[in-house]
Amino acid sequence: QPALTQPASVSGSPGQSITISCTGTNTDVGRYKFVSWYQQFPGKAPRLIIYKVSERPSGVSARFSGSKSANTAFLTISGLQPEDEADYYCHSYAGSDTPGRFGGGTKLTVL
Amino acid sequence: VQVQESGPGLVRSSETLSLTCSVSGDAIRSFYWSWIRQAPGKGLEWVGYMFYTGHTNYNPSLKSRVTMSVDTSKNQFSLKLTSVTAADTARYYCAAFSSDWYFFELWGQGALVTVSS
């Protein structure tokens, strides 16, 4: 079960927008509309911020948005704020009887 | 819904790691309950999941050492990982996997398990 591919790190200044990519294959990201994203602060549990490619759970800021093109999903954070500095993980469904695959994680630094 | 992991924080090498996840309310019947681990400084690794009916699915790389069980009367499900090594040192999270939209909806705070030699 190879992991989905994410950049190890991204950075941006307050107020800017950044995009994190999550590349899979036509057996996971490319086949299903079930990509989710998780935010994790140091020493804390991951928190769901996007599901079903672009849906936001209640309570998640509208500055977080998701999209997908072919085998790659994207998480965009607009109006970057210092408190967005965290690790971000993507996950994709990969077929029945499996919980799918995680990305390797991306560390976001707000300069 | 409250999700809480519990278990020993230190396990000797070659022995068995045992963790319990306690779930509030009837949520134990609503999700595929998963164990996900994260080694220090590393990413997330799915260990396995279980439905309250007893249906399980384990990470192929760990399958020979993993057993999950459920006790619906106590709203708990458990993880056992045998023959542990230092590579099994990680924070183990209990997470609710939604089979409607295939995402991990709820997470416990995690239990740090260190394997000592």
Side-chain angles (χ1 to χ4, degrees):
Chain A
Q1 296 186 343
L4 306 177
T5 301
Q6 296 181 233
S9 63
V10 298
S11 61
S13 300
Q16 287 185 332
S17 293
I18 63 94
T19 297
I20 299 171
S21 61
C22 169
T23 301
T25 68
N26 59 8
T27 65
D28 41 57
V29 176
R31 174 172 286 185
Y32 302 103
K33 295 180 179 179
F34 300 124
V35 176
S36 53
W37 290 89
Y38 304 83
Q39 177 190 58
Q40 185 181 34
F41 296 110
K44 300 294 186 181
R47 177 182 77 126
L48 175 71
I49 56 173
I50 294 288
Y51 67 98
K52 223 170 71 171
V53 176
S54 60
E55 299 291 322
R56 271 180 290 108
S58 173
V60 174
S61 171
R63 297 186 299 104
F64 294 89
S65 62
S67 61
K68 189 184 80 152
S69 177
N71 295 339
T72 300
F74 303 94
L75 172 70
T76 297
I77 308 175
S78 58
L80 208 57
Q81 297 180 1
E83 55 263 36
D84 296 331
E85 189 163 290
D87 293 326
Y88 292 84
Y89 292 89
C90 64
H91 175 271
S92 174
Y93 181 63
S96 62
D97 212 30
T98 170
R101 302 186 181 98
F102 282 107
T106 298
K107 181 176 181 59
L108 168 63
T109 301
V110 181
L111 303 171
Chain B
V1 178
Q2 303 271 348
V3 181
Q4 181 69 58
E5 303 89 345
S6 60
L10 189 63
V11 181
R12 291 186 181 276
S13 182
S14 79
E15 296 189 345
T16 297
L17 176 160
S18 297
L19 293 172
T20 297
C21 178
S22 299
V23 179
S24 63
D26 290 332
I28 198 162
R29 292 176 175 78
S30 304
F31 299 96
Y32 281 78
W33 289 94
S34 302
W35 289 100
I36 296 165
R37 70 181 185 178
Q38 186 172 36
K42 302 296 185 183
L44 302 171
E45 179 184 29
W46 169 65
V47 176
Y49 69 57
M50 182 168 200
F51 199 51
Y52 78 97
T53 56
H55 173 64
T56 57
N57 193 8
Y58 303 140
N59 185 324
S61 68
L62 300 170
K63 189 173 183 178
S64 63
R65 299 192 291 128
V66 171
T67 302
M68 293 178 65
S69 59
V70 63
D71 186 338
T72 54
S73 67
K74 295 182 179 179
N75 282 353
Q76 292 178 339
F77 72 103
S78 301
L79 168 71
K80 290 189 185 301
L81 181 65
T82 62
S83 304
V84 297
T85 69
D88 296 309
T89 292
R91 182 169 291 274
Y92 287 75
Y93 293 101
C94 169
F97 184 68
S98 167
S99 59
D100 292 332
W101 306 119
Y102 305 107
F103 60 87
F104 296 94
E105 185 168 339
L106 302 166
W107 297 70
Q109 64 184 17
L112 179 61
V113 180
T114 301
V115 177
S116 68
S117 56

PDB file of all heavy atoms in Angstrom, chain B residues 70-93:
ATOM      1  N   VAL B  70     -13.710  -6.395  20.120  1.00  0.00           N
ATOM      2  CA  VAL B  70     -14.693  -5.414  20.561  1.00  0.00           C
ATOM      3  C   VAL B  70     -15.514  -5.983  21.703  1.00  0.00           C
ATOM      4  O   VAL B  70     -15.806  -7.170  21.750  1.00  0.00           O
ATOM      5  CB  VAL B  70     -15.601  -4.977  19.386  1.00  0.00           C
ATOM      6  CG1 VAL B  70     -16.391  -6.164  18.864  1.00  0.00           C
ATOM      7  CG2 VAL B  70     -16.519  -3.840  19.797  1.00  0.00           C
ATOM      8  N   ASP B  71     -15.851  -5.113  22.639  1.00  0.00           N
ATOM      9  CA  ASP B  71     -16.758  -5.450  23.735  1.00  0.00           C
ATOM     10  C   ASP B  71     -17.855  -4.397  23.721  1.00  0.00           C
ATOM     11  O   ASP B  71     -17.695  -3.308  24.284  1.00  0.00           O
ATOM     12  CB  ASP B  71     -16.003  -5.458  25.066  1.00  0.00           C
ATOM     13  CG  ASP B  71     -16.877  -5.942  26.222  1.00  0.00           C
ATOM     14  OD1 ASP B  71     -18.122  -5.857  26.096  1.00  0.00           O
ATOM     15  OD2 ASP B  71     -16.335  -6.394  27.239  1.00  0.00           O
ATOM     16  N   THR B  72     -18.957  -4.699  23.066  1.00  0.00           N
ATOM     17  CA  THR B  72     -20.023  -3.708  22.919  1.00  0.00           C
ATOM     18  C   THR B  72     -20.696  -3.394  24.249  1.00  0.00           C
ATOM     19  O   THR B  72     -21.229  -2.304  24.423  1.00  0.00           O
ATOM     20  CB  THR B  72     -21.077  -4.180  21.907  1.00  0.00           C
ATOM     21  OG1 THR B  72     -21.542  -5.483  22.295  1.00  0.00           O
ATOM     22  CG2 THR B  72     -20.486  -4.245  20.505  1.00  0.00           C
ATOM     23  N   SER B  73     -20.663  -4.328  25.212  1.00  0.00           N
ATOM     24  CA  SER B  73     -21.291  -4.075  26.510  1.00  0.00           C
ATOM     25  C   SER B  73     -20.544  -2.982  27.272  1.00  0.00           C
ATOM     26  O   SER B  73     -21.131  -2.285  28.106  1.00  0.00           O
ATOM     27  CB  SER B  73     -21.339  -5.355  27.332  1.00  0.00           C
ATOM     28  OG  SER B  73     -20.042  -5.773  27.698  1.00  0.00           O
ATOM     29  N   LYS B  74     -19.274  -2.835  26.981  1.00  0.00           N
ATOM     30  CA  LYS B  74     -18.465  -1.800  27.624  1.00  0.00           C
ATOM     31  C   LYS B  74     -18.169  -0.632  26.692  1.00  0.00           C
ATOM     32  O   LYS B  74     -17.456   0.305  27.064  1.00  0.00           O
ATOM     33  CB  LYS B  74     -17.136  -2.403  28.097  1.00  0.00           C
ATOM     34  CG  LYS B  74     -17.261  -3.454  29.188  1.00  0.00           C
ATOM     35  CD  LYS B  74     -15.883  -3.955  29.609  1.00  0.00           C
ATOM     36  CE  LYS B  74     -15.990  -4.997  30.715  1.00  0.00           C
ATOM     37  NZ  LYS B  74     -14.655  -5.516  31.116  1.00  0.00           N
ATOM     38  N   ASN B  75     -18.682  -0.684  25.478  1.00  0.00           N
ATOM     39  CA  ASN B  75     -18.376   0.352  24.476  1.00  0.00           C
ATOM     40  C   ASN B  75     -16.864   0.510  24.295  1.00  0.00           C
ATOM     41  O   ASN B  75     -16.340   1.634  24.289  1.00  0.00           O
ATOM     42  CB  ASN B  75     -19.006   1.691  24.864  1.00  0.00           C
ATOM     43  CG  ASN B  75     -20.496   1.735  24.547  1.00  0.00           C
ATOM     44  OD1 ASN B  75     -21.036   0.821  23.924  1.00  0.00           O
ATOM     45  ND2 ASN B  75     -21.158   2.774  24.984  1.00  0.00           N
ATOM     46  N   GLN B  76     -16.201  -0.605  24.159  1.00  0.00           N
ATOM     47  CA  GLN B  76     -14.755  -0.582  24.009  1.00  0.00           C
ATOM     48  C   GLN B  76     -14.305  -1.497  22.874  1.00  0.00           C
ATOM     49  O   GLN B  76     -14.917  -2.531  22.620  1.00  0.00           O
ATOM     50  CB  GLN B  76     -14.056  -1.065  25.297  1.00  0.00           C
ATOM     51  CG  GLN B  76     -14.203  -0.141  26.474  1.00  0.00           C
ATOM     52  CD  GLN B  76     -13.523  -0.696  27.716  1.00  0.00           C
ATOM     53  OE1 GLN B  76     -13.280  -1.898  27.832  1.00  0.00           O
ATOM     54  NE2 GLN B  76     -13.193   0.184  28.639  1.00  0.00           N
ATOM     55  N   PHE B  77     -13.230  -1.092  22.241  1.00  0.00           N
ATOM     56  CA  PHE B  77     -12.563  -2.043  21.366  1.00  0.00           C
ATOM     57  C   PHE B  77     -11.072  -1.989  21.641  1.00  0.00           C
ATOM     58  O   PHE B  77     -10.559  -1.019  22.209  1.00  0.00           O
ATOM     59  CB  PHE B  77     -12.897  -1.841  19.890  1.00  0.00           C
ATOM     60  CG  PHE B  77     -12.283  -0.625  19.254  1.00  0.00           C
ATOM     61  CD1 PHE B  77     -11.190  -0.747  18.430  1.00  0.00           C
ATOM     62  CD2 PHE B  77     -12.830   0.633  19.452  1.00  0.00           C
ATOM     63  CE1 PHE B  77     -10.623   0.355  17.826  1.00  0.00           C
ATOM     64  CE2 PHE B  77     -12.270   1.746  18.844  1.00  0.00           C
ATOM     65  CZ  PHE B  77     -11.164   1.602  18.027  1.00  0.00           C
ATOM     66  N   SER B  78     -10.383  -3.076  21.315  1.00  0.00           N
ATOM     67  CA  SER B  78      -9.014  -3.253  21.775  1.00  0.00           C
ATOM     68  C   SER B  78      -8.065  -3.640  20.651  1.00  0.00           C
ATOM     69  O   SER B  78      -8.480  -4.168  19.620  1.00  0.00           O
ATOM     70  CB  SER B  78      -8.961  -4.336  22.858  1.00  0.00           C
ATOM     71  OG  SER B  78      -9.778  -3.991  23.952  1.00  0.00           O
ATOM     72  N   LEU B  79      -6.802  -3.360  20.917  1.00  0.00           N
ATOM     73  CA  LEU B  79      -5.726  -3.702  19.978  1.00  0.00           C
ATOM     74  C   LEU B  79      -4.671  -4.499  20.711  1.00  0.00           C
ATOM     75  O   LEU B  79      -4.281  -4.151  21.825  1.00  0.00           O
ATOM     76  CB  LEU B  79      -5.091  -2.420  19.429  1.00  0.00           C
ATOM     77  CG  LEU B  79      -3.771  -2.590  18.672  1.00  0.00           C
ATOM     78  CD1 LEU B  79      -4.011  -3.272  17.328  1.00  0.00           C
ATOM     79  CD2 LEU B  79      -3.075  -1.232  18.478  1.00  0.00           C
ATOM     80  N   LYS B  80      -4.229  -5.574  20.082  1.00  0.00           N
ATOM     81  CA  LYS B  80      -3.069  -6.307  20.579  1.00  0.00           C
ATOM     82  C   LYS B  80      -2.074  -6.441  19.433  1.00  0.00           C
ATOM     83  O   LYS B  80      -2.454  -6.849  18.325  1.00  0.00           O
ATOM     84  CB  LYS B  80      -3.465  -7.689  21.107  1.00  0.00           C
ATOM     85  CG  LYS B  80      -4.268  -7.654  22.392  1.00  0.00           C
ATOM     86  CD  LYS B  80      -4.440  -9.025  22.990  1.00  0.00           C
ATOM     87  CE  LYS B  80      -5.336  -9.011  24.214  1.00  0.00           C
ATOM     88  NZ  LYS B  80      -4.810  -8.123  25.291  1.00  0.00           N
ATOM     89  N   LEU B  81      -0.829  -6.110  19.733  1.00  0.00           N
ATOM     90  CA  LEU B  81       0.246  -6.216  18.754  1.00  0.00           C
ATOM     91  C   LEU B  81       1.358  -7.029  19.402  1.00  0.00           C
ATOM     92  O   LEU B  81       1.936  -6.613  20.404  1.00  0.00           O
ATOM     93  CB  LEU B  81       0.750  -4.826  18.359  1.00  0.00           C
ATOM     94  CG  LEU B  81       1.864  -4.760  17.318  1.00  0.00           C
ATOM     95  CD1 LEU B  81       1.371  -5.283  15.970  1.00  0.00           C
ATOM     96  CD2 LEU B  81       2.387  -3.331  17.181  1.00  0.00           C
ATOM     97  N   THR B  82       1.631  -8.188  18.839  1.00  0.00           N
ATOM     98  CA  THR B  82       2.589  -9.110  19.457  1.00  0.00           C
ATOM     99  C   THR B  82       4.012  -8.883  18.956  1.00  0.00           C
ATOM    100  O   THR B  82       4.245  -8.203  17.951  1.00  0.00           O
ATOM    101  CB  THR B  82       2.200 -10.571  19.160  1.00  0.00           C
ATOM    102  OG1 THR B  82       2.234 -10.779  17.740  1.00  0.00           O
ATOM    103  CG2 THR B  82       0.802 -10.882  19.681  1.00  0.00           C
ATOM    104  N   SER B  83       4.945  -9.446  19.676  1.00  0.00           N
ATOM    105  CA  SER B  83       6.368  -9.447  19.290  1.00  0.00           C
ATOM    106  C   SER B  83       6.857  -8.063  18.891  1.00  0.00           C
ATOM    107  O   SER B  83       7.440  -7.865  17.823  1.00  0.00           O
ATOM    108  CB  SER B  83       6.582 -10.430  18.130  1.00  0.00           C
ATOM    109  OG  SER B  83       6.129 -11.724  18.469  1.00  0.00           O
ATOM    110  N   VAL B  84       6.624  -7.099  19.757  1.00  0.00           N
ATOM    111  CA  VAL B  84       6.965  -5.709  19.422  1.00  0.00           C
ATOM    112  C   VAL B  84       8.473  -5.487  19.411  1.00  0.00           C
ATOM    113  O   VAL B  84       9.238  -6.171  20.099  1.00  0.00           O
ATOM    114  CB  VAL B  84       6.285  -4.713  20.376  1.00  0.00           C
ATOM    115  CG1 VAL B  84       4.769  -4.809  20.245  1.00  0.00           C
ATOM    116  CG2 VAL B  84       6.740  -4.937  21.820  1.00  0.00           C
ATOM    117  N   THR B  85       8.862  -4.522  18.610  1.00  0.00           N
ATOM    118  CA  THR B  85      10.252  -4.064  18.552  1.00  0.00           C
ATOM    119  C   THR B  85      10.255  -2.549  18.675  1.00  0.00           C
ATOM    120  O   THR B  85       9.191  -1.917  18.729  1.00  0.00           O
ATOM    121  CB  THR B  85      10.917  -4.468  17.232  1.00  0.00           C
ATOM    122  OG1 THR B  85      10.314  -3.713  16.171  1.00  0.00           O
ATOM    123  CG2 THR B  85      10.761  -5.962  16.955  1.00  0.00           C
ATOM    124  N   ALA B  86      11.436  -1.981  18.665  1.00  0.00           N
ATOM    125  CA  ALA B  86      11.546  -0.522  18.774  1.00  0.00           C
ATOM    126  C   ALA B  86      10.796   0.174  17.642  1.00  0.00           C
ATOM    127  O   ALA B  86      10.318   1.302  17.807  1.00  0.00           O
ATOM    128  CB  ALA B  86      13.017  -0.118  18.766  1.00  0.00           C
ATOM    129  N   ALA B  87      10.651  -0.487  16.510  1.00  0.00           N
ATOM    130  CA  ALA B  87       9.939   0.099  15.370  1.00  0.00           C
ATOM    131  C   ALA B  87       8.455   0.286  15.643  1.00  0.00           C
ATOM    132  O   ALA B  87       7.770   0.996  14.905  1.00  0.00           O
ATOM    133  CB  ALA B  87      10.128  -0.771  14.135  1.00  0.00           C
ATOM    134  N   ASP B  88       7.961  -0.345  16.691  1.00  0.00           N
ATOM    135  CA  ASP B  88       6.544  -0.201  17.048  1.00  0.00           C
ATOM    136  C   ASP B  88       6.316   0.942  18.031  1.00  0.00           C
ATOM    137  O   ASP B  88       5.173   1.215  18.416  1.00  0.00           O
ATOM    138  CB  ASP B  88       6.013  -1.506  17.643  1.00  0.00           C
ATOM    139  CG  ASP B  88       6.032  -2.647  16.639  1.00  0.00           C
ATOM    140  OD1 ASP B  88       5.513  -2.444  15.515  1.00  0.00           O
ATOM    141  OD2 ASP B  88       6.565  -3.733  16.972  1.00  0.00           O
ATOM    142  N   THR B  89       7.381   1.602  18.441  1.00  0.00           N
ATOM    143  CA  THR B  89       7.240   2.776  19.299  1.00  0.00           C
ATOM    144  C   THR B  89       6.514   3.871  18.541  1.00  0.00           C
ATOM    145  O   THR B  89       6.953   4.284  17.452  1.00  0.00           O
ATOM    146  CB  THR B  89       8.615   3.285  19.756  1.00  0.00           C
ATOM    147  OG1 THR B  89       9.203   2.325  20.628  1.00  0.00           O
ATOM    148  CG2 THR B  89       8.492   4.622  20.467  1.00  0.00           C
ATOM    149  N   ALA B  90       5.400   4.324  19.078  1.00  0.00           N
ATOM    150  CA  ALA B  90       4.571   5.289  18.365  1.00  0.00           C
ATOM    151  C   ALA B  90       3.453   5.782  19.278  1.00  0.00           C
ATOM    152  O   ALA B  90       3.200   5.223  20.336  1.00  0.00           O
ATOM    153  CB  ALA B  90       3.947   4.652  17.118  1.00  0.00           C
ATOM    154  N   ARG B  91       2.810   6.836  18.837  1.00  0.00           N
ATOM    155  CA  ARG B  91       1.537   7.228  19.454  1.00  0.00           C
ATOM    156  C   ARG B  91       0.451   6.504  18.668  1.00  0.00           C
ATOM    157  O   ARG B  91       0.397   6.592  17.440  1.00  0.00           O
ATOM    158  CB  ARG B  91       1.347   8.732  19.416  1.00  0.00           C
ATOM    159  CG  ARG B  91       0.061   9.198  20.084  1.00  0.00           C
ATOM    160  CD  ARG B  91       0.033  10.709  20.259  1.00  0.00           C
ATOM    161  NE  ARG B  91       1.006  11.166  21.248  1.00  0.00           N
ATOM    162  CZ  ARG B  91       0.784  11.224  22.559  1.00  0.00           C
ATOM    163  NH1 ARG B  91      -0.399  10.859  23.043  1.00  0.00           N
ATOM    164  NH2 ARG B  91       1.723  11.652  23.380  1.00  0.00           N
ATOM    165  N   TYR B  92      -0.389   5.798  19.391  1.00  0.00           N
ATOM    166  CA  TYR B  92      -1.459   5.020  18.784  1.00  0.00           C
ATOM    167  C   TYR B  92      -2.783   5.765  18.981  1.00  0.00           C
ATOM    168  O   TYR B  92      -3.190   6.043  20.114  1.00  0.00           O
ATOM    169  CB  TYR B  92      -1.530   3.623  19.410  1.00  0.00           C
ATOM    170  CG  TYR B  92      -0.389   2.730  18.968  1.00  0.00           C
ATOM    171  CD1 TYR B  92       0.896   2.902  19.485  1.00  0.00           C
ATOM    172  CD2 TYR B  92      -0.579   1.727  18.029  1.00  0.00           C
ATOM    173  CE1 TYR B  92       1.961   2.099  19.065  1.00  0.00           C
ATOM    174  CE2 TYR B  92       0.465   0.912  17.602  1.00  0.00           C
ATOM    175  CZ  TYR B  92       1.738   1.119  18.125  1.00  0.00           C
ATOM    176  OH  TYR B  92       2.787   0.326  17.715  1.00  0.00           O
ATOM    177  N   TYR B  93      -3.417   6.073  17.853  1.00  0.00           N
ATOM    178  CA  TYR B  93      -4.686   6.778  17.880  1.00  0.00           C
ATOM    179  C   TYR B  93      -5.836   5.820  17.581  1.00  0.00           C
ATOM    180  O   TYR B  93      -5.727   4.956  16.697  1.00  0.00           O
ATOM    181  CB  TYR B  93      -4.718   7.883  16.829  1.00  0.00           C
ATOM    182  CG  TYR B  93      -3.774   9.025  17.067  1.00  0.00           C
ATOM    183  CD1 TYR B  93      -2.576   9.122  16.382  1.00  0.00           C
ATOM    184  CD2 TYR B  93      -4.097  10.045  17.966  1.00  0.00           C
ATOM    185  CE1 TYR B  93      -1.708  10.184  16.582  1.00  0.00           C
ATOM    186  CE2 TYR B  93      -3.239  11.111  18.175  1.00  0.00           C
ATOM    187  CZ  TYR B  93      -2.048  11.163  17.487  1.00  0.00           C
ATOM    188  OH  TYR B  93      -1.185  12.220  17.689  1.00  0.00           O
TER     189      TYR B  93
END
